[in-house]
Amino acid sequence: MNEKKQALELSEQDLNELIKKAKEFFRTQIAPSHIANTKKLTRLKEFNLNPFLNKYKASFLTGNVEPLSIARALVYPRILGTSIDTSFGSKLQKFCSEVLEGFASTTSGIDIEFIDKIDGNRKYCQIKAGPNTINKDDVETIKGHFTAVRNLARTNGKRISVDDMVLGVFYGTPEELSAHYKKVDEDFPVFVGEEFWHRLTGDKNFYDRITDAIGEVASEFDSSELIEDVIQTLAKEIEKLDGFDSNNPPVVQVW
């Protein structure tokens, strides 16, 4: 490793501090939000019931269509899928400000700025959560922000290379990137998962280190009893609902 690259690397103390902040963020922000959202799921009005699939999903999961099975088929996908994914996505900016505070950017449309630990250039970076977390409309918005930053810099007598306007994706692999990300990558680099964290920190293994560290936080939370209580309560509502038919449910409000 040459002296320039070595000088760019974050110290082990800095790396450990990043991991410590990430663990604390999940401990105090993501997990409590997940638990709070789980507690809400005791009422049918919290679900968008599908009259074509309710009984099928319950039977597919448990082999019967009893109220308890219907409740499990409703609760499990929510708490293990949309609830936690939404919590993480909605708190992404807070993650940047609290965990990646040392890389904060004051440039409009840019989440963080950092010295790329691989090529040594300053990168102006927007952050996204995962490889499928942008839609078609986001593509032009992202490109528009990057173009505006480059134009402003040019007006101020500063040149920023296209290669230094980047989209950073916290997790995933290049193969998992959606077609929308690939459209961005046609004009501006997209760094995903291991490459993003390597360029940010200088540690090629940091992606594994930080995801493993978050996994350690999981051992602090056992919500199995809470989940079972929620399912039992929801099942009682299903059972007591006069004339309830899971193939023809009442109109409910989507949470």
Side-chain angles (χ1 to χ4, degrees):
M1 180 181 296
N2 61 44
E3 292 183 2
K4 178 183 178 183
K5 295 289 181 65
Q6 190 171 21
L8 290 173
E9 287 187 349
L10 296 183
S11 68
E12 189 64 23
Q13 181 178 350
D14 290 335
L15 296 177
N16 288 336
E17 184 63 22
L18 269 180
I19 289 175
K20 179 181 177 182
K21 288 181 178 180
K23 292 175 72 172
E24 187 63 14
F25 180 83
F26 272 75
R27 183 180 292 117
T28 61
Q29 298 291 329
I30 300 299
S33 177
H34 192 200
I35 290 170
N37 288 337
T38 298
K39 289 179 178 179
K40 296 177 182 178
L41 303 180
T42 57
R43 303 293 301 277
L44 277 171
K45 69 178 184 178
E46 300 293 339
F47 297 91
N48 183 19
L49 299 181
N50 185 330
F52 293 98
L53 296 177
N54 291 322
K55 280 187 176 180
Y56 170 78
K57 289 189 287 187
S59 182
F60 192 85
L61 178 66
T62 69
N64 64 72
V65 292
E66 296 299 318
L68 193 60
S69 296
I70 295 171
R72 292 191 192 284
L74 289 171
V75 170
Y76 288 155
R78 176 68 68 83
I79 63 175
L80 298 177
T82 53
S83 178
I84 185 64
D85 291 340
T86 300
S87 291
F88 182 64
S90 66
K91 293 181 181 296
L92 195 60
Q93 290 301 317
K94 198 166 186 179
F95 186 96
C96 290
S97 64
E98 292 188 6
V99 179
L100 303 181
E101 60 177 342
F103 304 98
S105 174
T106 58
T107 303
S108 177
I110 300 298
D111 295 318
I112 63 172
E113 296 178 26
F114 64 95
I115 302 301
D116 189 317
K117 305 307 185 292
I118 293 178
D119 65 22
N121 295 335
R122 174 171 290 276
K123 293 294 191 283
Y124 299 81
C125 180
Q126 281 197 28
I127 296 290
K128 299 297 178 183
N132 290 291
T133 51
I134 64 171
N135 56 43
K136 181 179 179 181
D137 292 337
D138 293 326
V139 174
E140 291 307 315
T141 300
I142 292 166
K143 289 183 178 182
H145 282 151
F146 285 158
T147 299
V149 170
R150 294 189 70 225
N151 289 342
L152 180 61
R154 189 179 299 113
T155 299
N156 293 332
K158 182 179 180 181
R159 298 190 66 84
I160 300 177
S161 168
V162 170
D163 290 338
D164 294 330
M165 307 295 299
V166 305
L167 187 59
V169 185
F170 276 174
Y171 66 87
T173 66
E175 294 75 23
E176 294 173 330
L177 287 174
S178 70
H180 302 311
Y181 277 109
K182 292 175 182 177
K183 289 294 292 183
V184 175
D185 197 47
E186 291 175 1
D187 297 308
F188 302 97
V190 177
F191 300 148
V192 55
E194 180 181 297
E195 182 181 14
F196 167 71
W197 292 102
H198 184 191
R199 289 178 178 273
L200 184 72
T201 68
D203 182 353
K204 191 176 188 304
N205 299 315
F206 192 76
Y207 179 54
D208 289 334
R209 291 175 62 180
I210 194 168
T211 52
D212 286 347
I214 298 305
E216 292 173 8
V217 177
S219 64
E220 302 172 15
F221 296 91
D222 178 1
S223 295
S224 56
E225 290 186 8
L226 167 63
I227 294 167
E228 188 60 27
D229 287 344
V230 167
I231 289 172
Q232 293 287 344
T233 304
L234 181 63
K236 289 177 181 177
E237 179 179 334
I238 294 172
E239 189 173 12
K240 290 180 179 179
L241 189 60
D242 185 32
F244 176 77
D245 179 354
S246 62
N247 280 326
N248 187 27
V251 177
V252 293
Q253 179 181 349
V254 180
W255 166 57

